[in-house]
């Protein structure tokens, strides 16, 4: 039986993710890739399949059942019963009784009650299962209970700056800021082609992962609220502030609807809500969340990039970079002062301030003040676009933001 495994669209490996996942190949855990549509999950999935085929164990392509729910060839798989029947039928056509079987399902959330099938095959010692999903709800608490201890999840982000330069060697930081990091877009040529691709992706994510999935009735208002988020990256955001903005535009929308919209964006991985913690007392604070975009290219399709947005956009890039590096991130509070990011990874902690330029003594004082107020000895960084940088006061390190992004060392 011929394999449906796609040829890998690029020979550029997403090393950050493959290095994390390779040690789990051959183990019984279900491998789960999450992330926004077009962030690169499907290519990673194909790269994993090809690594199995070319590994010393030499898995036969026919022993891999590949299902891509964005391919019309699988449009008939709508329920868990359809899925189970297809998998059983696939493996009955090949002689695999003495061989391990591999199941790869891309965008599995399109299949109703898919978790019943995954649980079924996860129990079988001769199966190894890989799945992807583009909505945070597909890894619900119910699924986590059903598959407790049987799956490991990896979140796939758009390209970070280091990856962007691998995919686009002729690119630079300014292009990264404007274009974003969706791999399929980054590899395109022509400004109009890139804009059209980004608009198409934005429409697909909003329509399939928000409007259809959550039965949103007014797509125009959904987009209006998202534009407000795009204009307020890194600012504390409340439903009240959004209501006030919409009223100024003579638009009326209920608090509950706005709250739901914000949750829908986050579930589709379009934006990431970020909470606060007391940088001294270590407790989490009940303050208004900030929002950052998963991809700046999509953000710029909603709201054109302007000079006054530079600081917000740089914050967004640093936030995303910290996530890619495996940190959990909150916003810090020291009395009435704010620390842009508190990044934690195991026992490691870093405090980070981000600004466009430290152009005056007043700016330097403002950006360093909150870090100086933190009494512990964890590393403290100030990241800016200045070309002269180095050590700072009280052990605070001042680094060029682009240079920091171009390496994988924390400081």
């Amino acid at each position: 039986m011929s394999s449906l495994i796609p040829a890998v669209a690029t020979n550029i490996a997403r090393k950050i993710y493959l290095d994390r996942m390779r040690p789990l190949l051959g183990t019984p855990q279900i491998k789960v890739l999450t992330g926004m549509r077009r962030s690169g999950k499907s290519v990673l999935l194909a790269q994993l399949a090809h690594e199995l085929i070319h590994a010393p164990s030499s898995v036969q392509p026919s022993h891999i059942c590949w299902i891509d729910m964005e391919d019309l060839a699988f449009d008939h798989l709508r329920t868990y019963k359809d899925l189970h029947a297809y998998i059983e039928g696939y493996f009955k056509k090949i002689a695999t009784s003495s061989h391990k079987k591999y199941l790869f399902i891309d965008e599995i959330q399109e299949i109703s009650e898919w978790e019943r099938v995954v649980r079924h095959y996860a129990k079988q010692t001769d199966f190894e299962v890989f799945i992807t999903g583009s909505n945070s709800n597909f890894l619900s608490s119910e699924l986590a209970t059903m598959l407790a201890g049987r799956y490991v999840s990896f979140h796939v982000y758009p390209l970070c700056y280091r990856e962007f330069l691998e995919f686009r060697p002729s690119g630079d930081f300014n292009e990264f800021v404007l274009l974003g990091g969706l791999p399929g877009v980054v590899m395109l040529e022509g400004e109009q082609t890139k804009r059209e691709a980004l608009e198409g992706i934005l429409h697909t994510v909003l329509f399939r992962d928000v409007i259809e999935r959550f039965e949103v009735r007014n797509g125009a208002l959904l987009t209006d609220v998202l534009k407000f988020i795009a204009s307020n990256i890194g600012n504390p955001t409340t439903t009240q502030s959004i209501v006030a903005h919409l009223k100024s535009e003579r638009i009326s929308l209920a608090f509950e609807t706005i709250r739901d919209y914000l949750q829908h964006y986050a579930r589709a991985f379009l934006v990431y809500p970020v909470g606060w913690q007391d940088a001294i007392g270590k407790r989490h604070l009940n303050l208004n969340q900030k929002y950052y975009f998963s991809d700046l290219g999509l953000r710029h399709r909603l709201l054109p990039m302007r000079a006054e947005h530079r600081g917000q956009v740089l914050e967004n890039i640093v936030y995303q970079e910290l996530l890619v590096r495996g940190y959990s991130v909150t916003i810090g509070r020291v009395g009435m002062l704010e620390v842009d990011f508190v990044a934690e990874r195991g026992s490691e902690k870093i405090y980070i301030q981000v600004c466009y330029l430290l152009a005056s003594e007043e700016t330097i004082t403002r950006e360093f003040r909150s870090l100086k107020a933190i009494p512990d000895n964890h590393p403290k960084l100030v990241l800016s676009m200045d070309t002269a940088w180095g050590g700072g006061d009280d052990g605070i390190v001042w680094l060029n933001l682009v240079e920091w992004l171009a390496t994988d060392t924390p400081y």
Side-chain angles (χ1 to χ4, degrees):
M1 186 173 185
S2 62
S3 172
L4 294 173
I5 305 167
V8 178
T10 173
N11 60 1
I12 304 172
R14 301 284 300 272
K15 189 174 183 296
I16 292 170
Y17 304 98
L18 290 172
D19 285 352
R20 294 172 185 170
M21 299 184 71
R22 281 193 191 101
L24 291 165
L25 295 179
T27 65
Q29 286 102 334
I30 302 161
K31 289 76 173 173
V32 182
L33 299 180
T34 64
M36 189 184 67
R37 289 183 189 269
R38 305 295 180 264
S39 59
K41 302 186 305 299
S42 300
V43 171
L44 265 174
L45 201 65
Q47 287 177 339
L48 286 168
H50 284 283
E51 288 208 2
L52 288 171
I53 293 168
H54 296 103
S57 56
S58 299
V59 173
Q60 292 297 313
S62 60
H63 294 171
I64 297 175
C65 179
W66 181 275
I67 298 171
D68 178 2
M69 290 307 299
E70 291 195 324
D71 188 330
L72 285 176
F74 300 100
D75 200 46
H76 62 289
L77 303 182
R78 288 296 151 196
T79 70
Y80 76 95
K81 292 182 179 179
D82 301 331
L83 178 61
H84 180 252
Y86 177 85
I87 296 167
E88 291 294 302
Y90 178 90
F91 285 115
K92 279 183 180 178
K93 294 178 181 177
I94 57 176
T96 60
S97 57
S98 61
H99 297 281
K100 193 170 184 178
K101 307 173 187 69
Y102 298 85
L103 181 58
F104 285 73
I105 309 176
D106 197 12
E107 302 295 0
I108 198 171
Q109 76 279 351
E110 303 294 339
I111 301 171
S112 172
E113 297 184 81
W114 59 267
E115 60 272 17
R116 299 179 66 169
V117 173
V118 169
R119 180 175 61 173
H120 169 73
Y121 289 111
K123 291 180 178 179
Q124 301 186 33
T125 57
D126 60 340
F127 265 87
E128 189 167 348
V129 182
F130 302 75
I131 62 175
T132 78
S134 296
N135 191 289
S136 63
N137 275 13
F138 101 103
L139 279 181
S140 63
S141 57
E142 178 184 359
L143 173 62
T145 300
M146 292 171 64
L147 301 179
R150 291 180 179 160
Y151 79 89
V152 58
S153 178
F154 301 87
H155 193 86
V156 180
Y157 300 95
L159 303 175
C160 65
Y161 184 51
R162 298 186 306 282
E163 292 180 307
F164 175 85
L165 293 177
E166 291 180 10
F167 276 71
R168 196 168 186 83
S170 63
D172 59 22
F173 184 67
N174 288 332
E175 188 176 16
F176 175 65
V177 168
L178 294 173
L179 188 57
L182 297 178
V185 176
V186 168
M187 299 181 74
L188 293 173
E189 297 297 337
E191 295 306 312
Q192 183 63 26
T193 302
K194 296 171 192 173
R195 284 195 296 270
E196 290 174 354
L198 284 167
E199 287 169 4
I201 293 169
L202 180 61
H203 178 268
T204 299
V205 174
L206 283 175
F207 184 74
R208 296 190 65 177
D209 294 325
V210 179
I211 293 174
E212 274 192 349
R213 187 162 303 280
F214 300 109
E215 299 180 349
V216 174
R217 296 180 180 179
N218 195 322
L221 285 179
L222 182 80
T223 304
D224 286 338
V225 174
L226 190 59
K227 285 180 179 178
F228 179 87
I229 301 299
S231 68
N232 285 276
I233 288 174
N235 293 328
T237 301
T238 66
T239 52
Q240 179 62 54
S241 63
I242 298 173
V243 166
H245 168 74
L246 293 175
K247 279 186 176 179
S248 72
E249 301 288 327
R250 298 183 180 180
I251 299 171
S252 178
L253 198 59
F255 280 85
E256 294 78 9
T257 303
I258 293 173
R259 180 200 60 206
D260 290 344
Y261 284 2
L262 294 174
Q263 291 175 349
H264 298 340
Y265 304 141
R267 287 167 179 160
F269 303 121
L270 261 174
V271 301
Y272 297 106
V274 188
W276 297 68
Q277 70 163 279
D278 183 337
I280 296 178
K282 317 304 180 188
R283 72 185 189 280
H284 287 268
L285 301 174
N286 187 24
L287 299 173
N288 299 318
Q289 291 178 315
K290 295 186 178 185
Y291 289 86
Y292 294 96
F293 266 72
S294 61
D295 183 72
L296 286 172
L298 297 181
R299 183 264 178 207
H300 300 331
R301 297 277 54 81
L302 289 159
L303 192 70
M305 174 69 179
R306 297 189 178 94
E308 60 266 29
H309 300 149
R310 288 177 300 195
Q312 297 171 293
V313 165
L314 292 179
E315 267 191 46
N316 202 125
I317 289 171
V318 171
Y319 173 74
Q320 186 90 345
E321 175 69 23
L322 290 168
L323 295 183
V324 170
R325 296 186 186 195
Y327 291 94
S328 61
V329 185
T330 53
I331 303 150
R333 192 70 175 255
V334 188
M336 297 304 293
L337 301 175
E338 179 183 318
V339 178
D340 287 336
F341 299 120
V342 181
E344 297 177 270
R345 186 173 62 183
S347 61
E348 181 184 357
K349 178 181 286 188
I350 308 172
Y351 302 102
I352 298 177
Q353 289 288 86
V354 183
C355 68
Y356 176 55
L357 291 172
L358 295 171
S360 66
E361 286 299 322
E362 180 184 358
T363 304
I364 293 172
T365 300
R366 183 184 69 241
E367 297 298 336
F368 279 72
R369 183 188 297 132
S370 59
L371 296 180
K372 288 181 178 181
I374 302 171
D376 66 38
N377 294 319
H378 291 291
K380 302 172 179 69
L381 307 182
V382 175
L383 301 174
S384 74
M385 295 296 290
D386 296 275
T387 55
W389 63 92
D393 295 338
D394 297 334
I396 299 168
V397 179
W398 172 16
L399 297 175
N400 175 266
L401 190 150
V402 179
E403 292 292 327
W404 179 78
L405 291 171
T407 68
D408 59 0
T409 55
Y411 42 85

